[in-house]
Amino acid sequence: MLGAIFGLLNLALFKDFSGVLEQIPLGPTGDLGYATYQGNQPYPNAVDSRTTVDLGYVTYQGKLDEEYPNTVVYFGIRYAEPPVGYRRFRATVPLDTARVTEQANGEVIDATEPPNFCIQGSLNPLQPGGAGSEDCLHVNIYTPLDAKERGNLPVMVFIHGGAFLFGNPLAWPFEHWIEQSQEVIIVSVYYRLASFGFLAVPEFTNSTYGDFNVGLKDQREALRWVQSNIGKFGGNPNEVTVAGHSAGAISTELHMTVNERGPLFSRAIVQSVVRSPLPTPEQQRPLFEFYAAEAKCSTGSVEQKMDCLRNADISELSVAQEAAFLNFALEYRAFSPIVDGVLITGHPTTKFQGGDFAHVPLLIGTTSNETLAPELFYQTIPRALKGTFPLLTATDIEEFLQQYPLDDFDSSSHQYQVATGESTARCTPQAMGIPSSRYVNETWTYRYNTPIPPNKFDEIPVEHADEIWMMFRGTYNGPNGTFAFDPQTAVERAFASELIAYWLSFVRTSNPNTYKLPKSPVWKTYNEPSPVRMVLMQEPYSTIMSGSYMEKQPALETTRCEFVISKAEVCQN
């Protein structure tokens, strides 16, 4: 388990983030009777109808971007009630629009500045988390300037990654996506992270104490809000693609398999699903007890501990959740989704193999060399497998080793990378793609094969999140909601445009080819008889040529992944 989480750590946490974005406070506070929350400010001079949207219960003033003049961003639109006070650790509460109307008092509300991001965890003891706000359930909405006039534009809802521990949606900007394609709307979701989003103990089956998977429930409430309101921005609620990377990809996979389906989305984009375990509530009990003790809430019953945790200061809870992550005596250290028996009723890989998932067009892939169990930390394949998947027996691990004989690889490091990479990430396109193709012709897979440029903190050529760096203007996540962007060359920007064109073509038509760039090769569908995938690769020197190409998935990889998929239950993924 620890390896999968360490693998999600962007090595840029050690980068110099001086001068990057800091948290921006928003407007006056409001009193809910049990806690205060941060509200948006009235916008006294809203005169440009092109950048305002009337939702029926309140009108928001968006921001016309200076760098991208055909793009409007509406920052910090609430989709749920603030999860503060007695709502801490409880399921998402739908937005009380009457309260929002009353607080607005007839004023247009300013949505031109970014909202508070959710409280951050940390993977680095030298840079502790804790920044952010509990009052963070917002979406940022990116639209073409004339979206309202045209209407019925397809929508992409993006769920950010960050190990379910950290992430500020502003680190994944979409202005340049909208500027490239004026035919889509993009919604970026803020959701509760770390212990605030994924605290679990078996007693939560009685919601008096708390609720399971509240961070995932935040995301689902955002999708419901989109269904009800995106039409006012010019979007089509019947043409919604849910998309995510890393933890966001896990979330997307779970939304496809939860026991609560409905017309919340009609397509899915899944980038680098991390195949980490989804434990049971009982398996999370030691984590809960340790966390409560670290937060000085270890006395009494679970009910008394929860009362204490709800009254604890955010700084105490932040210290407690980071101490839990560093407690190597715990088999399960991650505050992340669990199999709760109600919303999540089984492991997603098993559900996919049985056909029990949303049958929607799917675009899915990973990077060429990603592994989420770093060799520097684990040193051996058995230690990496056991550390990542606690239920594996010695027999299971021996069976894994038989699938990866040293003679099949260039070196022992290459053997380690593939054996751990396939089990933690790289077999997911097969695990999800083949079942998907049995129901939906529009199933597309890729292998991203372009490294971050030299001296960019990557030790392995094409690692986890390298395509995110390319698609989002050279983005790096720092601690506590900070981020920075590397300058990109003209060739890199051209390649990014090629990727974005494929993605948004899929969002518009379920087919990445319909609106691809003319230079880009045709992307063929993936299925069991023909397991072909696009290799997304930058042409090193040209802005007018593509380096991408189609390849057949190697037979040996297919066989190994069949074995990995067969171990889904013991690996709990």
Side-chain angles (χ1 to χ4, degrees):
M1 182 58 146
L2 183 60
I5 303 170
F6 270 137
L8 293 170
L9 173 58
N10 191 323
L11 296 179
L13 288 178
F14 300 100
K15 192 179 174 77
D16 179 11
F17 279 86
S18 58
V20 298
L21 178 82
E22 296 181 357
Q23 183 177 351
I24 301 173
L26 292 182
T29 58
D31 186 356
L32 295 176
Y34 53 87
T36 58
Y37 66 94
Q38 198 77 39
N40 298 79
Q41 301 180 57
Y43 193 90
N45 299 309
V47 295
D48 190 346
S49 62
R50 300 176 304 163
T51 57
T52 58
V53 59
D54 183 356
L55 297 182
Y57 58 89
V58 73
T59 298
Y60 284 105
Q61 171 69 54
K63 178 181 180 180
L64 185 60
D65 193 273
E66 294 180 3
E67 184 176 358
Y68 302 100
N70 296 304
T71 300
V72 180
V73 187
Y74 299 88
F75 286 113
I77 307 299
R78 289 190 180 277
Y79 67 82
E81 286 295 286
V84 296
Y86 67 73
R87 290 180 181 154
R88 181 186 281 178
F89 307 124
R90 288 196 166 100
T92 326
V93 176
L95 186 66
D96 182 349
T97 56
R99 179 187 62 76
V100 176
T101 302
E102 181 180 1
Q103 187 196 0
N105 195 29
E107 299 282 352
V108 174
I109 301 303
D110 184 4
T112 65
E113 297 292 341
N116 292 327
F117 47 80
C118 294
I119 295 168
Q120 303 286 293
S122 174
L123 295 172
N124 183 353
L126 301 178
Q127 296 173 323
S133 171
E134 286 192 274
D135 179 16
C136 65
L137 300 187
H138 305 94
V139 290
N140 298 332
I141 302 176
Y142 300 78
T143 77
L145 181 59
D146 63 348
K148 291 180 295 182
E149 286 73 18
R150 288 184 287 154
N152 284 321
L153 295 179
V155 179
M156 185 176 85
V157 177
F158 183 78
I159 303 170
H160 70 78
F164 295 106
L165 279 175
F166 60 88
N168 179 349
L170 296 182
W172 297 274
F174 284 101
E175 289 91 343
H176 60 302
W177 289 51
I178 298 296
E179 201 72 14
Q180 178 171 326
S181 175
Q182 293 282 294
E183 303 297 329
V184 298
I185 288 173
I186 299 176
V187 180
S188 184
V189 179
Y190 295 71
Y191 60 97
R192 282 175 281 179
L193 302 167
S195 62
F196 295 89
F198 297 96
L199 187 67
V201 70
E203 283 78 0
F204 282 10
T205 52
N206 180 345
S207 60
T208 300
Y209 304 117
D211 292 290
F212 297 118
N213 294 314
V214 298
L216 193 70
K217 290 173 179 175
D218 292 345
Q219 298 168 14
R220 295 191 68 74
E221 189 59 34
L223 287 166
R224 293 187 191 95
W225 186 93
V226 166
Q227 287 295 309
S228 298
N229 295 281
I230 202 64
K232 300 293 181 63
F233 294 87
N236 185 346
N238 298 316
E239 294 287 338
V240 173
T241 299
V242 61
H245 171 262
S246 193
I250 299 173
S251 301
T252 302
E253 180 186 38
L254 290 172
H255 290 308
M256 295 181 73
T257 58
V258 293
N259 189 37
E260 184 188 84
R261 289 173 216 157
L264 296 182
F265 57 91
S266 53
R267 301 180 184 93
I269 297 175
V270 180
Q271 297 179 233
S272 293
V273 168
V274 181
R275 296 174 54 79
S276 53
L278 272 67
T280 65
E282 189 58 47
Q283 288 167 334
Q284 290 292 79
R285 187 185 292 278
L287 176 62
F288 170 83
E289 297 293 350
F290 181 86
Y291 171 77
E294 289 292 311
K296 302 179 178 61
C297 292
S298 60
T299 303
S301 66
V302 168
E303 182 177 14
Q304 291 170 317
K305 291 173 183 176
M306 291 305 301
D307 286 342
C308 178
L309 290 169
R310 284 197 177 86
N311 287 289
D313 187 82
I314 287 173
S315 61
E316 292 179 316
L317 299 182
S318 297
V319 170
Q321 67 189 15
E322 286 162 25
F325 173 72
L326 296 172
N327 180 8
F328 292 88
L330 293 170
E331 284 190 321
Y332 298 90
R333 302 170 185 84
F335 293 103
S336 60
I338 65 162
V339 177
D340 59 27
V342 179
L343 183 65
I344 303 177
T345 56
H347 299 115
T349 299
T350 300
K351 283 185 169 270
F352 263 86
Q353 305 321 299
D356 186 12
F357 61 95
H359 301 156
V360 298
L362 175 66
L363 189 154
I364 180 171
T366 64
T367 67
S368 290
N369 307 114
E370 65 183 307
T371 176
L372 294 145
E375 187 174 10
L376 181 65
F377 180 79
Y378 282 115
Q379 298 182 331
T380 70
I381 295 172
R383 289 182 62 186
L385 292 172
K386 184 65 177 177
T388 305
F389 307 113
L391 296 188
L392 288 178
T393 66
T395 300
D396 293 320
I397 291 172
E398 181 58 34
E399 290 175 356
F400 265 97
L401 293 175
Q402 291 172 8
Q403 296 292 321
Y404 298 92
L406 182 58
D407 290 345
D408 286 351
F409 302 97
D410 299 333
S411 65
S412 59
S413 289
H414 184 211
Q415 177 197 31
Y416 179 97
Q417 180 204 105
V418 176
T420 58
E422 289 183 348
S423 61
T424 60
R426 287 152 58 181
C427 285
T428 309
Q430 182 172 324
M432 294 176 66
I434 286 180
S436 174
S437 70
R438 293 169 183 159
Y439 300 93
V440 182
N441 290 329
E442 296 91 351
T443 299
W444 319 83
T445 68
Y446 68 85
R447 177 172 68 87
Y448 183 81
N449 196 44
T450 302
I452 289 178
N455 304 315
K456 300 295 184 183
F457 303 93
D458 264 5
E459 296 178 359
I460 298 175
V462 189
E463 251 292 9
H464 190 68
D466 280 5
E467 86 279 23
I468 296 299
W469 183 92
M470 191 66 69
M471 299 171 85
F472 291 97
R473 296 164 47 192
T475 187
Y476 279 113
N477 280 281
N480 282 317
T482 58
F483 55 90
F485 300 99
D486 278 343
Q488 290 185 314
T489 66
V491 171
E492 289 160 357
R493 292 193 299 272
F495 181 49
S497 295
E498 182 178 8
L499 301 173
I500 291 167
Y502 274 138
W503 261 235
L504 293 185
S505 179
F506 177 83
V507 169
R508 295 170 65 183
T509 69
S510 304
N511 187 329
N513 299 300
T514 310
Y515 297 104
K516 70 178 182 65
L517 299 187
K519 68 179 181 180
S520 301
V522 172
W523 193 331
K524 298 178 182 178
T525 56
Y526 177 90
N527 53 60
E528 197 163 11
S530 181
V532 295
R533 62 193 176 195
M534 178 65 74
V535 179
L536 296 166
M537 193 163 182
Q538 178 185 307
E539 207 292 328
Y541 306 110
S542 172
T543 62
I544 61 173
M545 297 176 62
S546 174
S548 300
Y549 59 92
M550 293 297 302
E551 72 174 7
K552 185 174 182 180
Q553 182 173 312
L556 190 56
E557 177 185 330
T558 300
T559 300
R560 292 193 303 254
C561 284
E562 287 174 352
F563 168 79
V564 169
I565 292 165
S566 76
K567 292 294 185 180
E569 284 304 298
V570 70
C571 289
Q572 298 180 278
N573 55 23

